[in-house]
Structure formats: structure tokens, C-alpha cells
Amino acid sequence: MPTPVTPTVRIIGRPNLDREELHRYLAEIGGQDWTAHRPDYNDTQDLIEVAGRTCYRSFAAGLNPNVTRVRTDPDAYLGNIVEHRHGSVLEHAQYTFIIQNVSRVFTHEWVRHRQGVAISQESLRYVRLTELPFWYPEWAQNDPELLSRGQQILTALEDFQTWMADHFQLDRAGMPFHEKKAKTSFMRRFAPEGLATVLVWSANVRTLRHVVETRTDEGAEEEVRLVANQLGELMATEVPALFADYVIDDTGAWTTPHRKV
């Protein structure tokens, strides 16, 4: 029986700032007091602030003769970056996610975001299907006849996958891997686009903001909206100063006056 699944997003990689090397650099340029107002470190937000302040040498007043005042509150500094759309410095901070139990309908759309991302997807040329996990939106789960007929089709396809594996003798001792690969690649042609899969997906903060804005929009596909909303919730907790400008409207869309930072 095909397994119902729910798309999930997890952060598995985030920036790791080398504080010792950063402090050596700051001491060389006379900006060592910059960290005094940072009792609780957030590597991502500090990395972006370092990038921004480097552009103006604004770690302290007077380091750049043109800069006589500097913002000392990190949230205010980062808020100013977002407000003035200085998005280039957001590109320094890269995050990696496991996006699990999403359909290939989802991945066909998600991979259109190419700028500032890296993508690795489970390959059905190599991974043999033994079951067909499938996500049903809530409205479909509330339609018993639709659910029943859908499960019948998935069960038949799942049984066919099992039959093909036996027919091709894929578990026969000594079968060359290239032959297994060729047969497995053929078998995936009988898997539905709604089949659940998994991505490892990396993106910088500038790209993440853009994806959350565009993919939680009311017109986006509903599975895509579900994942983009999870992404936004994770990042709003992870780097609150960089997502504080967002408001979630009545449709569930993440909106901001600072789009495309």
C-alpha cells in the first residue's frame, strides 16, 4: 500500500564564522571594538554585517574619515541593509537544506531557481523503487472517492515495480551493476510525477528571501507554497534580523516592502 507523506524542510548546513581570524583582521584595521555589543553570536548575521561594514570600513567611527557615525545595534544595521536593498552582501551566507517527501511536480518547479543555489536530487536511475510514497493535499484527503481511486492506481504501479524487479532478476547474484542501472532507469518511467523524493538544496540568504517571496504567493502551486512557507519559518527563526520585514497576509503569502533586496 502506498505510503502518504508530508513535505518537510530541515537545515543541515549554515555559515560558521571563524571568530579568531576575524578578530585578527579587526585588530589590524583598528576595528576590534566592533564585537563589544555582541554577547550572543549569530554567525550568519555577523558575517553579513562584516561584509557590509567592509565596504565602507565602518566598524568604528573614524576608520574611514568620511564616516563620523556608525550604527552599533546589529539589528538596526541589518534592517538598514534590507531597507536600502543592499542585497549583494546577503549572498555571502549560504544555507543547506534537506527537502524531503516532495513530489517531482515540486522539483520540476523548484529547480527553476538557479541563481545562487546548488541542487542534488535522489536519482531513480540508481535508486530502485520498492514503494511509491505520495503527498495528498488536505482537500484531496477530504475526498474519499478520489483518495480511494488514487490509492488503487498507486498500488497497481507499486505492484508493477515489484513485478519488474523480479522479472529482470535484479537481485540475482553477480548481475553487473550497469545492467541493474539500465533496468532501474527503465522502471522509473512507470513512476508518477507525484512520487515523493528528496533534495539537498543550498541557497544564499538573498536567494532565500526571493524564493520565500515568490513561492508563498497565492498564485504558486500549493505544494511549493507549503515548502516555501516552511523555509520562511526556519529562516525567520534562524536569522530574525534579516527576515523581520516580512508580514504574512491573509492568503499565507510572505510580503515585504523591500522585495528583491
Side-chain angles (χ1 to χ4, degrees), residues 41-235:
Y41 291 140
N42 181 311
D43 280 3
T44 298
Q45 294 182 171
D46 284 357
L47 173 61
I48 290 170
E49 186 171 345
V50 166
R53 290 189 183 278
T54 297
C55 295
Y56 296 90
R57 197 183 291 180
S58 60
F59 293 98
L63 291 181
N64 172 0
N66 288 338
V67 176
T68 57
R69 290 185 305 128
V70 297
R71 289 180 176 85
T72 57
D73 178 74
D75 289 351
Y77 181 88
L78 294 172
N80 186 64
I81 282 179
V82 170
E83 182 180 353
H84 287 85
R85 296 178 170 84
H86 296 320
S88 61
V89 294
L90 273 61
E91 295 175 6
H92 291 288
Q94 188 95 349
Y95 278 79
T96 298
F97 306 85
I98 288 282
I99 305 178
Q100 185 182 13
N101 289 327
V102 288
S103 71
R104 290 180 175 256
V105 173
F106 168 89
T107 61
H108 291 339
E109 292 207 16
W110 201 255
V111 297
R112 294 174 187 171
H113 296 287
R114 295 184 296 276
Q115 192 107 10
V117 306
I119 304 166
S120 298
Q121 182 171 346
E122 180 181 66
S123 172
L124 296 187
R125 192 180 184 195
Y126 298 93
V127 178
R128 192 200 312 176
L129 295 171
T130 56
E131 59 179 359
L132 302 180
F134 200 89
W135 173 72
Y136 288 93
E138 186 174 350
W139 62 263
Q141 295 178 41
N142 294 328
D143 188 331
E145 183 176 2
L146 174 65
L147 203 60
S148 175
R149 287 176 177 267
Q151 287 294 90
Q152 289 175 33
I153 292 171
L154 290 172
T155 298
L157 290 172
E158 202 171 80
D159 290 344
F160 188 45
Q161 292 288 331
T162 301
W163 179 86
M164 283 191 289
D166 290 339
H167 182 69
F168 298 144
Q169 299 181 344
L170 293 184
D171 294 321
R172 173 174 53 85
M175 173 175 276
F177 186 77
H178 74 271
E179 187 175 344
K180 283 187 178 182
K181 182 174 70 173
K183 297 296 197 306
T184 300
S185 181
F186 173 79
M187 290 164 66
R188 66 179 165 170
R189 297 175 183 273
F190 295 92
E193 280 206 332
L195 174 72
T197 187
V198 61
L199 290 178
V200 176
W201 187 73
S202 300
N204 63 56
V205 171
R206 188 180 200 178
T207 297
L208 289 171
R209 284 180 55 95
H210 174 66
V211 170
V212 169
E213 290 165 17
T214 56
R215 293 306 196 165
T216 59
D217 184 83
E218 188 177 11
E221 204 273 340
E222 61 186 306
E223 186 184 11
V224 172
R225 293 191 79 194
L226 187 156
V227 171
N229 182 66
Q230 289 188 45
L231 196 65
E233 290 176 345
L234 283 172
M235 295 309 298

Side-chain angles (χ1 to χ4, degrees), residues 228-247:
N229 182 66
Q230 289 188 45
L231 196 65
E233 290 176 345
L234 283 172
M235 295 309 298
T237 299
E238 184 80 9
V239 282
L242 297 171
F243 281 75
D245 56 312
Y246 284 102
V247 174

Side-chain angles (χ1 to χ4, degrees), residues 241-256:
L242 297 171
F243 281 75
D245 56 312
Y246 284 102
V247 174
I248 302 176
D249 68 18
D250 293 341
T251 71
W254 288 54
T255 63
T256 174

Side-chain angles (χ1 to χ4, degrees), residues 12-66:
I12 63 168
R14 51 175 58 84
N16 183 12
L17 199 57
D18 189 325
R19 300 278 170 181
E20 291 186 5
E21 286 300 322
L22 176 59
H23 291 163
R24 290 190 186 99
Y25 163 70
L26 291 173
E28 287 179 8
I29 66 169
Q32 60 270 21
D33 293 338
W34 172 74
T35 57
H37 57 283
R38 277 168 174 71
D40 298 317
Y41 291 140
N42 181 311
D43 280 3
T44 298
Q45 294 182 171
D46 284 357
L47 173 61
I48 290 170
E49 186 171 345
V50 166
R53 290 189 183 278
T54 297
C55 295
Y56 296 90
R57 197 183 291 180
S58 60
F59 293 98
L63 291 181
N64 172 0
N66 288 338

